[in-house]
Coordinates of all heavy atoms in Angstrom, one line a residue:
M1 N -11.9 22.9 -28.9 CA -10.8 23.8 -29.1 C -9.6 23.3 -28.5 O -9.6 22.4 -27.6 CB -11.2 25.1 -28.4 CG -10.1 26.2 -28.5 SD -10.7 27.8 -28.0 CE -9.5 28.8 -28.8
A2 N -8.5 23.7 -29.0 CA -7.2 23.3 -28.5 C -6.2 24.4 -28.9 O -6.5 25.4 -29.5 CB -6.7 22.0 -29.1
I3 N -4.9 24.2 -28.4 CA -3.9 25.2 -28.7 C -2.7 24.5 -29.3 O -2.3 23.3 -29.0 CB -3.4 25.8 -27.3 CG1 -4.5 26.5 -26.7 CG2 -2.2 26.7 -27.6 CD1 -4.2 27.0 -25.2
Q4 N -2.1 25.1 -30.3 CA -0.9 24.6 -30.9 C 0.2 25.5 -30.7 O 0.1 26.8 -30.9 CB -1.1 24.4 -32.4 CG 0.0 23.6 -33.1 CD -0.4 23.4 -34.6 OE1 -1.2 24.0 -35.2 NE2 0.2 22.3 -35.1
V5 N 1.3 25.0 -30.2 CA 2.5 25.8 -29.9 C 3.8 25.0 -29.9 O 3.7 23.7 -29.7 CB 2.4 26.5 -28.5 CG1 2.4 25.5 -27.4 CG2 3.4 27.6 -28.3
D6 N 4.9 25.5 -30.2 CA 6.1 24.8 -30.2 C 6.7 24.6 -28.8 O 6.7 25.6 -28.0 CB 7.2 25.5 -31.1 CG 6.8 25.6 -32.5 OD1 6.0 24.8 -33.0 OD2 7.3 26.5 -33.2
I7 N 7.1 23.4 -28.5 CA 7.8 23.2 -27.2 C 9.3 23.1 -27.6 O 9.8 22.3 -28.3 CB 7.4 21.8 -26.6 CG1 5.9 21.8 -26.3 CG2 8.2 21.6 -25.3 CD1 5.4 20.5 -25.8
K8 N 10.0 24.1 -27.0 CA 11.5 24.2 -27.3 C 12.3 23.3 -26.4 O 13.2 22.6 -26.9 CB 11.9 25.6 -27.2 CG 11.3 26.5 -28.2 CD 11.8 28.0 -28.1 CE 11.3 28.9 -29.2 NZ 9.9 29.2 -29.2
N9 N 11.9 23.1 -25.2 CA 12.6 22.3 -24.2 C 11.6 21.4 -23.6 O 10.7 21.8 -22.9 CB 13.3 23.1 -23.2 CG 14.4 24.0 -23.7 OD1 15.2 23.6 -24.5 ND2 14.4 25.3 -23.3
S10 N 11.8 20.1 -23.7 CA 10.9 19.1 -23.1 C 11.6 18.2 -22.1 O 12.8 18.2 -22.1 CB 10.2 18.3 -24.2 OG 11.1 17.3 -24.7
Q11 N 10.8 17.5 -21.3 CA 11.4 16.6 -20.4 C 12.1 15.4 -21.1 O 12.9 14.7 -20.4 CB 10.3 16.0 -19.5 CG 9.2 15.3 -20.2 CD 8.1 14.8 -19.3 OE1 8.3 14.8 -18.1 NE2 7.0 14.5 -19.9
F12 N 11.9 15.3 -22.4 CA 12.5 14.2 -23.1 C 13.8 14.6 -23.8 O 14.5 13.9 -24.5 CB 11.5 13.7 -24.2 CG 10.3 13.1 -23.5 CD1 9.1 13.9 -23.6 CD2 10.3 11.9 -22.9 CE1 7.9 13.4 -23.0 CE2 9.1 11.5 -22.3 CZ 8.0 12.2 -22.3
G13 N 14.2 15.9 -23.7 CA 15.4 16.4 -24.3 C 15.3 16.8 -25.8 O 16.3 17.0 -26.4
V14 N 14.1 16.8 -26.3 CA 13.9 17.1 -27.7 C 12.8 18.2 -27.8 O 12.0 18.3 -26.9 CB 13.5 15.9 -28.6 CG1 14.6 14.9 -28.6 CG2 12.2 15.2 -28.1
S15 N 12.8 18.9 -28.9 CA 11.7 19.9 -29.0 C 10.5 19.2 -29.8 O 10.7 18.2 -30.5 CB 12.2 21.1 -29.8 OG 12.6 20.7 -31.1
F16 N 9.4 19.8 -29.7 CA 8.2 19.3 -30.4 C 7.6 20.5 -31.1 O 7.0 21.4 -30.5 CB 7.1 18.7 -29.4 CG 7.6 17.5 -28.8 CD1 8.2 17.5 -27.5 CD2 7.4 16.3 -29.4 CE1 8.6 16.3 -26.9 CE2 7.9 15.1 -28.9 CZ 8.4 15.1 -27.6
Q17 N 7.7 20.5 -32.4 CA 7.1 21.6 -33.2 C 5.6 21.4 -33.4 O 5.2 20.3 -33.7 CB 7.8 21.6 -34.6 CG 9.3 21.8 -34.6 CD 9.7 23.1 -33.9 OE1 9.1 24.2 -34.2 NE2 10.6 23.0 -33.0
G18 N 4.8 22.4 -33.1 CA 3.4 22.3 -33.3 C 2.7 21.4 -32.3 O 1.8 20.7 -32.7
A19 N 3.2 21.3 -31.1 CA 2.6 20.5 -30.1 C 1.1 20.9 -29.8 O 0.8 22.0 -30.0 CB 3.4 20.6 -28.8
Y20 N 0.3 19.9 -29.5 CA -1.1 20.1 -29.3 C -1.5 20.1 -27.8 O -1.2 19.1 -27.1 CB -1.8 18.9 -30.0 CG -3.3 18.9 -30.1 CD1 -4.0 19.5 -31.1 CD2 -4.0 18.2 -29.1 CE1 -5.4 19.5 -31.2 CE2 -5.4 18.2 -29.1 CZ -6.1 18.8 -30.1 OH -7.4 18.8 -30.2
F21 N -2.0 21.2 -27.4 CA -2.4 21.3 -26.0 C -3.9 21.4 -25.8 O -4.6 22.1 -26.6 CB -1.8 22.6 -25.4 CG -0.3 22.4 -25.0 CD1 0.6 22.6 -26.0 CD2 0.1 22.2 -23.8 CE1 2.0 22.5 -25.8 CE2 1.5 22.1 -23.5 CZ 2.4 22.2 -24.5
R22 N -4.4 20.8 -24.8 CA -5.9 21.0 -24.5 C -6.1 21.0 -23.0 O -5.3 20.4 -22.2 CB -6.7 19.9 -25.1 CG -6.4 18.5 -24.7 CD -7.3 17.5 -25.4 NE -7.0 16.1 -25.0 CZ -7.2 15.1 -25.8 NH1 -7.8 15.2 -26.9 NH2 -6.9 13.9 -25.4
I23 N -7.1 21.7 -22.6 CA -7.5 21.7 -21.2 C -8.0 20.4 -20.7 O -8.9 19.8 -21.3 CB -8.5 22.9 -20.9 CG1 -7.9 24.2 -21.2 CG2 -9.0 22.8 -19.5 CD1 -8.8 25.4 -21.1
A24 N -7.4 19.9 -19.6 CA -7.9 18.7 -19.0 C -8.8 18.9 -17.8 O -9.7 18.1 -17.5 CB -6.7 17.9 -18.6
A25 N -8.6 20.1 -17.1 CA -9.4 20.4 -15.9 C -9.4 21.9 -15.7 O -8.4 22.5 -15.9 CB -8.9 19.6 -14.7
V26 N -10.6 22.3 -15.2 CA -10.7 23.7 -14.8 C -11.5 23.7 -13.4 O -12.5 23.0 -13.3 CB -11.5 24.6 -15.8 CG1 -11.7 26.0 -15.2 CG2 -10.8 24.6 -17.1
A27 N -11.0 24.4 -12.5 CA -11.6 24.5 -11.2 C -11.6 26.0 -10.7 O -10.6 26.7 -10.8 CB -10.9 23.6 -10.1
V28 N -12.8 26.4 -10.2 CA -12.9 27.7 -9.6 C -12.9 27.5 -8.1 O -13.7 26.8 -7.5 CB -14.1 28.5 -10.0 CG1 -14.3 29.8 -9.4 CG2 -14.1 28.6 -11.6
M29 N -12.0 28.3 -7.4 CA -11.8 28.1 -6.0 C -12.1 29.5 -5.3 O -11.6 30.5 -5.8 CB -10.4 27.6 -5.6 CG -10.1 26.3 -6.3 SD -8.4 25.9 -6.2 CE -7.7 26.9 -7.5
R30 N -12.7 29.4 -4.1 CA -12.9 30.6 -3.3 C -11.8 30.6 -2.3 O -11.5 29.6 -1.7 CB -14.3 30.6 -2.6 CG -14.6 31.8 -1.9 CD -16.0 31.7 -1.2 NE -16.5 33.0 -0.7 CZ -16.1 33.4 0.5 NH1 -15.3 32.8 1.2 NH2 -16.6 34.6 0.9
Q31 N -11.2 31.8 -2.1 CA -10.1 32.0 -1.2 C -10.5 32.9 0.0 O -11.5 33.6 -0.1 CB -8.9 32.6 -1.9 CG -8.4 31.8 -3.1 CD -7.2 32.4 -3.7 OE1 -6.2 31.8 -3.6 NE2 -7.4 33.6 -4.3
R32 N -9.7 32.8 1.0 CA -10.0 33.7 2.2 C -9.7 35.1 1.9 O -10.3 36.0 2.5 CB -9.2 33.2 3.4 CG -9.6 31.8 3.8 CD -8.9 31.4 5.0 NE -9.5 31.9 6.2 CZ -9.5 31.4 7.4 NH1 -8.8 30.3 7.6 NH2 -10.1 32.0 8.4
E33 N -8.7 35.4 1.1 CA -8.3 36.7 0.7 C -9.4 37.4 -0.1 O -10.1 36.8 -0.8 CB -7.0 36.7 0.0 CG -5.8 36.2 0.7 CD -5.6 34.7 0.5 OE1 -6.0 34.2 -0.5 OE2 -5.2 34.0 1.5
D34 N -9.4 38.7 0.0 CA -10.3 39.5 -0.8 C -9.9 39.7 -2.3 O -10.7 40.0 -3.1 CB -10.6 40.8 -0.2 CG -11.6 40.7 1.0 OD1 -12.3 39.7 1.1 OD2 -11.5 41.5 1.9
N35 N -8.6 39.7 -2.5 CA -8.1 40.1 -3.8 C -7.0 39.1 -4.3 O -5.9 39.2 -3.8 CB -7.5 41.5 -3.8 CG -7.3 42.1 -5.1 OD1 -7.8 41.5 -6.1 ND2 -6.6 43.2 -5.2
P36 N -7.3 38.2 -5.1 CA -8.6 37.9 -5.7 C -9.4 36.9 -4.8 O -8.8 36.0 -4.2 CB -8.3 37.2 -7.0 CG -7.1 36.5 -6.8 CD -6.3 37.4 -5.8
R37 N -10.7 37.1 -4.7 CA -11.5 36.2 -3.9 C -11.7 34.9 -4.5 O -11.7 33.8 -3.9 CB -12.9 36.9 -3.7 CG -13.9 36.0 -3.0 CD -13.6 35.7 -1.6 NE -13.8 36.8 -0.7 CZ -13.6 36.9 0.6 NH1 -13.1 35.8 1.2 NH2 -13.8 37.9 1.3
H38 N -11.8 34.9 -5.8 CA -12.0 33.6 -6.6 C -10.8 33.4 -7.5 O -10.4 34.4 -8.2 CB -13.3 33.6 -7.4 CG -14.5 33.6 -6.5 ND1 -15.1 34.7 -6.0 CD2 -15.1 32.6 -5.9 CE1 -16.1 34.4 -5.2 NE2 -16.1 33.1 -5.1
Q39 N -10.3 32.2 -7.6 CA -9.2 31.9 -8.4 C -9.5 30.7 -9.3 O -10.3 29.8 -8.9 CB -8.0 31.6 -7.5 CG -6.7 31.4 -8.3 CD -5.5 31.2 -7.4 OE1 -5.6 30.5 -6.4 NE2 -4.4 31.9 -7.6
V40 N -9.0 30.7 -10.5 CA -9.2 29.6 -11.4 C -7.9 28.8 -11.6 O -6.9 29.3 -11.8 CB -9.6 30.1 -12.8 CG1 -9.9 29.0 -13.8 CG2 -10.8 31.0 -12.7
M41 N -8.0 27.5 -11.4 CA -6.9 26.6 -11.6 C -7.2 25.9 -13.0 O -8.3 25.3 -13.2 CB -6.8 25.5 -10.5 CG -5.6 24.6 -10.7 SD -5.7 23.2 -9.6 CE -7.0 22.2 -10.3
I42 N -6.2 25.9 -13.9 CA -6.4 25.3 -15.2 C -5.3 24.3 -15.4 O -4.1 24.7 -15.4 CB -6.4 26.4 -16.3 CG1 -7.4 27.5 -16.0 CG2 -6.7 25.7 -17.7 CD1 -7.3 28.7 -16.9
D43 N -5.6 23.1 -15.7 CA -4.6 22.0 -16.0 C -4.6 21.8 -17.5 O -5.7 21.6 -18.1 CB -4.9 20.7 -15.4 CG -4.6 20.7 -13.9 OD1 -4.0 21.7 -13.4 OD2 -5.1 19.8 -13.2
V44 N -3.5 21.9 -18.1 CA -3.3 21.8 -19.6 C -2.4 20.6 -19.9 O -1.3 20.6 -19.3 CB -2.8 23.1 -20.2 CG1 -2.7 23.0 -21.7 CG2 -3.7 24.2 -19.8
I45 N -2.7 19.8 -20.8 CA -1.9 18.6 -21.2 C -1.4 18.8 -22.7 O -2.3 19.2 -23.5 CB -2.7 17.3 -21.1 CG1 -3.1 17.1 -19.6 CG2 -1.8 16.1 -21.6 CD1 -3.9 15.8 -19.4
G46 N -0.2 18.6 -22.9 CA 0.4 18.8 -24.2 C 0.8 17.4 -24.8 O 1.3 16.5 -24.1
Y47 N 0.5 17.3 -26.1 CA 0.8 16.1 -26.9 C 1.7 16.4 -28.0 O 1.7 17.6 -28.5 CB -0.4 15.4 -27.4 CG -1.4 15.0 -26.3 CD1 -2.4 15.9 -25.9 CD2 -1.3 13.8 -25.7 CE1 -3.3 15.6 -24.9 CE2 -2.2 13.5 -24.7 CZ -3.2 14.4 -24.3 OH -4.1 14.0 -23.3
A48 N 2.5 15.5 -28.5 CA 3.4 15.7 -29.7 C 2.6 16.1 -30.9 O 3.0 17.0 -31.6 CB 4.3 14.5 -30.0
T49 N 1.4 15.5 -31.1 CA 0.5 15.8 -32.2 C -0.9 15.6 -31.6 O -1.1 15.1 -30.5 CB 0.7 14.9 -33.4 OG1 0.4 13.5 -33.0 CG2 2.1 15.0 -34.0
Q50 N -1.9 15.9 -32.4 CA -3.3 15.7 -31.9 C -3.5 14.2 -31.6 O -3.3 13.4 -32.5 CB -4.3 16.2 -33.0 CG -5.7 16.1 -32.5 CD -6.7 16.7 -33.5 OE1 -6.3 17.2 -34.5 NE2 -8.0 16.6 -33.2
P51 N -3.9 13.9 -30.4 CA -4.1 12.5 -30.1 C -5.3 11.9 -30.8 O -6.3 12.5 -31.1 CB -4.5 12.5 -28.6 CG -4.4 13.9 -28.1 CD -4.2 14.8 -29.3
Q52 N -5.1 10.6 -31.2 CA -6.1 9.9 -32.0 C -7.0 9.1 -31.0 O -8.0 8.5 -31.5 CB -5.5 9.0 -33.0 CG -4.7 9.8 -34.1 CD -5.5 10.9 -34.7 OE1 -6.6 10.6 -35.2 NE2 -5.0 12.1 -34.7
S53 N -6.5 8.9 -29.8 CA -7.3 8.1 -28.8 C -7.0 8.6 -27.4 O -6.0 9.4 -27.2 CB -7.0 6.6 -28.9 OG -5.7 6.4 -28.3
E54 N -7.7 8.2 -26.5 CA -7.5 8.6 -25.1 C -6.3 7.9 -24.5 O -5.9 8.2 -23.4 CB -8.8 8.3 -24.2 CG -10.0 9.2 -24.6 CD -9.7 10.7 -24.4 OE1 -9.1 11.1 -23.4 OE2 -10.2 11.5 -25.2
D55 N -5.7 6.9 -25.2 CA -4.6 6.2 -24.7 C -3.3 6.9 -25.1 O -2.2 6.4 -24.7 CB -4.6 4.8 -25.3 CG -5.8 4.0 -24.7 OD1 -6.1 4.2 -23.6 OD2 -6.3 3.2 -25.5
T56 N -3.3 8.0 -25.8 CA -2.1 8.7 -26.2 C -1.4 9.3 -25.0 O -2.1 10.0 -24.2 CB -2.4 9.8 -27.3 OG1 -3.1 9.2 -28.4 CG2 -1.2 10.5 -27.7
R57 N -0.1 9.2 -24.9 CA 0.6 9.7 -23.7 C 1.0 11.2 -24.0 O 1.3 11.6 -25.1 CB 1.9 8.9 -23.5 CG 1.7 7.4 -23.2 CD 1.1 7.2 -21.8 NE 1.9 7.9 -20.8 CZ 2.7 7.4 -19.9 NH1 2.9 6.1 -19.9 NH2 3.3 8.1 -19.0
D58 N 1.0 11.9 -22.9 CA 1.3 13.4 -23.0 C 2.9 13.6 -23.0 O 3.6 12.7 -22.5 CB 0.7 14.2 -21.9 CG 1.0 13.6 -20.5 OD1 0.5 12.6 -20.1 OD2 1.9 14.3 -19.9
V59 N 3.3 14.7 -23.5 CA 4.7 15.1 -23.5 C 4.9 16.3 -22.6 O 6.1 16.7 -22.3 CB 5.3 15.4 -24.9 CG1 5.2 14.1 -25.7 CG2 4.6 16.5 -25.6
D60 N 3.8 16.9 -22.1 CA 3.9 18.1 -21.3 C 2.7 18.3 -20.4 O 1.6 17.8 -20.9 CB 4.1 19.4 -22.2 CG 4.7 20.6 -21.4 OD1 4.8 20.5 -20.2 OD2 5.1 21.5 -22.1
F61 N 2.8 18.9 -19.3 CA 1.7 19.2 -18.4 C 2.0 20.5 -17.8 O 3.1 20.8 -17.3 CB 1.6 18.1 -17.3 CG 0.5 18.5 -16.3 CD1 -0.8 18.2 -16.5 CD2 0.9 19.2 -15.1 CE1 -1.8 18.5 -15.6 CE2 -0.1 19.5 -14.2 CZ -1.4 19.2 -14.4
R62 N 1.0 21.4 -17.8 CA 1.1 22.7 -17.2 C -0.1 23.0 -16.3 O -1.2 22.7 -16.7 CB 1.3 23.8 -18.3 CG 2.5 23.5 -19.1 CD 2.6 24.5 -20.3 NE 3.7 24.1 -21.1 CZ 4.2 24.8 -22.1 NH1 3.7 26.0 -22.4 NH2 5.2 24.3 -22.9
R63 N 0.1 23.6 -15.2 CA -1.0 24.1 -14.3 C -0.8 25.6 -14.1 O 0.2 26.1 -13.8 CB -0.9 23.4 -12.9 CG -1.9 23.9 -12.0 CD -2.0 23.0 -10.7 NE -2.8 21.8 -11.1 CZ -3.0 20.8 -10.3 NH1 -2.4 20.8 -9.1 NH2 -3.7 19.8 -10.7
Y64 N -2.0 26.2 -14.3 CA -2.0 27.7 -14.2 C -3.0 28.1 -13.2 O -4.0 27.4 -13.0 CB -2.5 28.3 -15.6 CG -1.6 28.1 -16.7 CD1 -1.8 27.0 -17.6 CD2 -0.5 28.9 -17.0 CE1 -1.0 26.7 -18.7 CE2 0.3 28.7 -18.1 CZ 0.1 27.6 -18.9 OH 0.9 27.3 -20.0
Y65 N -2.7 29.2 -12.5 CA -3.7 29.8 -11.6 C -3.9 31.3 -12.0 O -3.0 32.0 -12.4 CB -3.1 29.9 -10.2 CG -2.9 28.5 -9.5 CD1 -1.7 27.8 -9.6 CD2 -4.0 27.9 -8.9 CE1 -1.6 26.5 -9.1 CE2 -3.9 26.6 -8.3 CZ -2.7 25.9 -8.4 OH -2.5 24.7 -7.9
A66 N -5.2 31.6 -12.1 CA -5.5 33.0 -12.6 C -6.6 33.5 -11.7 O -7.5 32.8 -11.3 CB -5.9 32.9 -14.0
P67 N -6.6 34.9 -11.5 CA -7.8 35.5 -10.9 C -9.0 35.3 -11.8 O -9.0 35.4 -13.0 CB -7.4 36.9 -10.8 CG -5.9 37.0 -10.9 CD -5.6 35.8 -11.8
Y68 N -10.1 34.9 -11.2 CA -11.4 34.7 -11.9 C -11.7 35.8 -12.8 O -12.1 35.6 -14.0 CB -12.5 34.4 -10.9 CG -13.8 34.1 -11.6 CD1 -14.1 32.8 -12.1 CD2 -14.8 35.1 -11.7 CE1 -15.4 32.6 -12.7 CE2 -16.0 34.9 -12.3 CZ -16.3 33.6 -12.8 OH -17.5 33.4 -13.4
Q69 N -11.7 37.0 -12.3 CA -12.1 38.2 -13.1 C -11.2 38.4 -14.3 O -11.6 38.9 -15.3 CB -12.1 39.5 -12.2 CG -13.2 39.5 -11.2 CD -14.6 39.4 -11.9 OE1 -14.8 39.8 -13.0 NE2 -15.5 38.9 -11.2
E70 N -9.9 38.0 -14.2 CA -9.0 38.1 -15.3 C -9.4 37.2 -16.4 O -9.3 37.5 -17.6 CB -7.6 37.8 -14.8 CG -6.5 38.3 -15.8 CD -5.1 38.1 -15.2 OE1 -4.9 38.6 -14.0 OE2 -4.3 37.4 -15.8
V71 N -9.8 36.0 -16.1 CA -10.3 35.0 -17.1 C -11.6 35.5 -17.7 O -11.8 35.5 -18.9 CB -10.4 33.6 -16.5 CG1 -11.1 32.7 -17.5 CG2 -9.1 33.1 -16.0
E72 N -12.5 36.0 -16.9 CA -13.8 36.5 -17.4 C -13.7 37.6 -18.3 O -14.5 37.8 -19.2 CB -14.7 36.9 -16.2 CG -15.5 35.8 -15.6 CD -16.6 35.2 -16.6 OE1 -17.0 35.9 -17.5 OE2 -16.9 34.1 -16.4
T73 N -12.6 38.4 -18.3 CA -12.5 39.5 -19.2 C -11.9 39.1 -20.6 O -11.9 39.9 -21.5 CB -11.5 40.6 -18.6 OG1 -10.2 40.0 -18.5 CG2 -12.0 41.2 -17.3
Q74 N -11.6 37.9 -20.7 CA -11.1 37.4 -22.0 C -12.2 37.3 -23.0 O -13.4 37.1 -22.7 CB -10.4 36.0 -21.9 CG -9.2 36.0 -20.9 CD -8.1 36.9 -21.4 OE1 -7.6 36.8 -22.5 NE2 -7.6 37.7 -20.4
S75 N -11.9 37.3 -24.3 CA -12.9 37.1 -25.3 C -13.2 35.6 -25.5 O -12.4 34.8 -25.3 CB -12.4 37.7 -26.7 OG -11.3 37.0 -27.1
G76 N -14.5 35.4 -25.7 CA -14.9 34.0 -25.9 C -16.4 33.9 -25.5 O -16.8 34.6 -24.6
E77 N -17.1 33.0 -26.1 CA -18.5 32.8 -25.8 C -18.8 32.0 -24.6 O -19.9 32.1 -24.0 CB -19.2 32.2 -27.0 CG -19.2 33.2 -28.2 CD -20.1 32.7 -29.4 OE1 -21.0 31.8 -29.1 OE2 -19.9 33.1 -30.5
T78 N -17.9 31.1 -24.2 CA -18.1 30.3 -23.0 C -16.9 30.5 -22.1 O -15.8 31.0 -22.4 CB -18.1 28.8 -23.4 OG1 -16.8 28.4 -23.9 CG2 -19.2 28.5 -24.5
F79 N -17.1 30.1 -20.8 CA -16.0 30.2 -19.9 C -14.8 29.4 -20.3 O -13.6 29.8 -20.1 CB -16.5 29.7 -18.5 CG -15.5 30.0 -17.4 CD1 -15.2 31.3 -17.0 CD2 -14.8 28.9 -16.8 CE1 -14.2 31.5 -16.0 CE2 -13.8 29.2 -15.8 CZ -13.6 30.5 -15.4
L80 N -15.0 28.2 -20.9 CA -13.9 27.4 -21.3 C -13.1 28.1 -22.4 O -11.9 28.1 -22.5 CB -14.4 26.0 -21.8 CG -13.3 24.9 -22.0 CD1 -12.6 24.7 -20.7 CD2 -14.0 23.6 -22.4
A81 N -13.8 28.7 -23.4 CA -13.1 29.5 -24.4 C -12.3 30.6 -23.8 O -11.2 30.9 -24.3 CB -14.2 30.0 -25.4
K82 N -12.8 31.3 -22.8 CA -12.1 32.3 -22.1 C -10.8 31.8 -21.4 O -9.8 32.4 -21.4 CB -13.0 33.0 -21.1 CG -14.1 33.8 -21.8 CD -15.0 34.4 -20.8 CE -16.2 35.2 -21.5 NZ -17.0 36.0 -20.6
C83 N -10.9 30.6 -20.9 CA -9.8 29.9 -20.3 C -8.7 29.7 -21.4 O -7.5 29.9 -21.1 CB -10.1 28.6 -19.6 SG -11.1 28.8 -18.1
Y84 N -9.1 29.2 -22.5 CA -8.1 29.0 -23.6 C -7.5 30.3 -24.0 O -6.3 30.4 -24.2 CB -8.8 28.4 -24.8 CG -8.8 26.9 -24.8 CD1 -10.0 26.2 -24.5 CD2 -7.7 26.1 -25.0 CE1 -10.1 24.8 -24.5 CE2 -7.7 24.7 -25.0 CZ -8.9 24.1 -24.7 OH -9.0 22.7 -24.6
A85 N -8.3 31.4 -24.1 CA -7.7 32.7 -24.5 C -6.7 33.2 -23.4 O -5.7 33.7 -23.8 CB -8.9 33.7 -24.7
W86 N -7.1 33.0 -22.2 CA -6.1 33.4 -21.1 C -4.8 32.6 -21.2 O -3.8 33.2 -21.1 CB -6.8 33.2 -19.7 CG -6.0 33.7 -18.6 CD1 -5.9 35.0 -18.1 CD2 -5.0 33.0 -17.9 NE1 -5.0 35.1 -17.1 CE2 -4.4 33.9 -16.9 CE3 -4.6 31.7 -17.9 CZ2 -3.4 33.5 -16.0 CZ3 -3.6 31.3 -17.0 CH2 -3.0 32.2 -16.1
I87 N -4.9 31.3 -21.4 CA -3.7 30.5 -21.5 C -2.8 30.9 -22.6 O -1.6 31.1 -22.4 CB -4.1 29.0 -21.7 CG1 -4.7 28.4 -20.4 CG2 -2.8 28.2 -22.1 CD1 -5.4 27.1 -20.6
M88 N -3.4 31.2 -23.8 CA -2.6 31.6 -24.9 C -1.9 33.0 -24.7 O -0.9 33.3 -25.4 CB -3.5 31.7 -26.2 CG -3.8 30.3 -26.7 SD -4.6 30.3 -28.3 CE -6.2 31.0 -28.0
S89 N -2.3 33.8 -23.7 CA -1.7 35.0 -23.4 C -0.6 34.9 -22.4 O 0.1 35.9 -22.1 CB -2.8 36.0 -22.8 OG -3.1 35.7 -21.5
Q90 N -0.3 33.7 -21.9 CA 0.8 33.5 -20.9 C 2.1 33.5 -21.6 O 2.3 33.0 -22.7 CB 0.5 32.2 -20.1 CG -0.8 32.3 -19.4 CD -1.0 33.5 -18.6 OE1 -0.2 33.8 -17.6 NE2 -1.9 34.4 -18.9
P91 N 3.2 33.9 -20.9 CA 4.5 34.0 -21.4 C 5.1 32.6 -22.0 O 5.8 32.6 -23.0 CB 5.4 34.5 -20.3 CG 4.5 35.1 -19.3 CD 3.1 34.5 -19.5
D92 N 4.7 31.5 -21.3 CA 5.2 30.2 -21.8 C 4.4 29.7 -23.0 O 4.7 28.6 -23.5 CB 5.3 29.2 -20.7 CG 3.9 28.8 -20.1 OD1 2.9 29.6 -20.3 OD2 3.8 27.8 -19.5
M93 N 3.4 30.5 -23.4 CA 2.6 30.0 -24.6 C 2.8 31.0 -25.8 O 2.0 31.1 -26.6 CB 1.2 29.9 -24.2 CG 0.8 28.7 -23.4 SD 1.0 27.3 -24.5 CE 0.2 26.0 -23.4
T94 N 3.9 31.7 -25.8 CA 4.2 32.7 -26.8 C 4.2 32.0 -28.2 O 4.8 31.0 -28.4 CB 5.6 33.4 -26.6 OG1 5.5 34.1 -25.4 CG2 5.9 34.4 -27.8
G95 N 3.4 32.5 -29.1 CA 3.3 32.0 -30.5 C 2.1 31.0 -30.6 O 1.9 30.4 -31.6
A96 N 1.4 30.8 -29.5 CA 0.3 29.8 -29.5 C -0.8 30.3 -30.4 O -1.1 31.5 -30.5 CB -0.2 29.6 -28.1
V97 N -1.5 29.3 -31.1 CA -2.7 29.6 -31.9 C -3.8 28.6 -31.5 O -3.5 27.5 -31.1 CB -2.4 29.5 -33.4 CG1 -1.4 30.6 -33.8 CG2 -1.8 28.1 -33.8
G98 N -5.0 29.0 -31.6 CA -6.1 28.2 -31.4 C -6.4 27.3 -32.6 O -6.3 27.7 -33.7
V99 N -6.6 26.0 -32.3 CA -6.9 25.1 -33.4 C -8.2 24.3 -33.0 O -8.6 24.2 -31.9 CB -5.8 24.1 -33.6 CG1 -4.6 24.8 -34.2 CG2 -5.3 23.3 -32.4

């Protein structure tokens, strides 16, 4: 699974229509606070198009933090699918579609 979304402003000074994003890392962390006790860190890498090899350079990187329970309430058969659903609901991913 991956996400396709337009990047309007990039670090390169140009936009990327239909940029291809995929999760690079997910970590669940336990915190000292009770609310939320567990937090999910999700690293997402964006490419101009779907990479054809692991040597393709990224054009964007985003790190998200979410309460574990908020991710768990998303639709999806696996935890990773729920992470993708949560990411697509974020304000900076408006217009995102799963691919």
